[in-house]
Amino acid sequence: MILEVSRGHIKVKIGDRTATAQGEMFFPGNDKMGFVVYRNSMRFWDVPNQHQIMTSEDIDTVISDIQADFFRGGHTLEIEN
């Protein structure tokens, strides 16, 4: 579940942990929002789990969650490494 979207990041809650994906917001037209997520920006979970390394599966789960929310709203999401 997306908790927060800003011009430079998206914060997501997965279970009892949160993660912040860095990126850039853009506006593709059609009154919708677009966002480029930098996959490599996700390495650790957010506080209080900041010492837990995110696995590749964790990162995939975060991206899938963001994609589901964006697609439901008709928004554009791009993933970069």
Side-chain angles (χ1 to χ4, degrees):
M1 166 177 59
I2 294 178
L3 299 176
E4 176 182 306
V5 178
S6 78
R7 294 180 72 182
H9 73 267
I10 297 177
K11 184 173 282 216
V12 178
K13 182 171 182 153
I14 304 292
D16 62 347
R17 299 181 288 187
T18 60
T20 301
Q22 301 298 317
E24 295 180 42
M25 184 182 292
F26 64 91
F27 298 95
N30 69 5
D31 295 329
K32 297 294 181 177
M33 178 182 68
F35 201 90
V36 176
V37 168
Y38 301 136
R39 181 181 175 85
N40 291 339
S41 71
M42 293 180 277
R43 297 208 169 116
F44 295 92
W45 291 97
D46 292 347
V47 174
N49 302 298
Q50 71 271 22
H51 299 295
Q52 294 179 5
I53 295 172
M54 294 181 76
T55 65
S56 182
E57 292 80 21
D58 292 334
I59 294 168
D60 289 343
T61 299
V62 168
I63 289 172
S64 292
D65 189 73
I66 295 169
Q67 284 174 327
D69 280 355
F70 266 58
F71 292 148
R72 258 192 307 275
H75 303 293
T76 302
L77 184 70
E78 296 178 10
I79 311 300
E80 289 187 8
N81 285 325

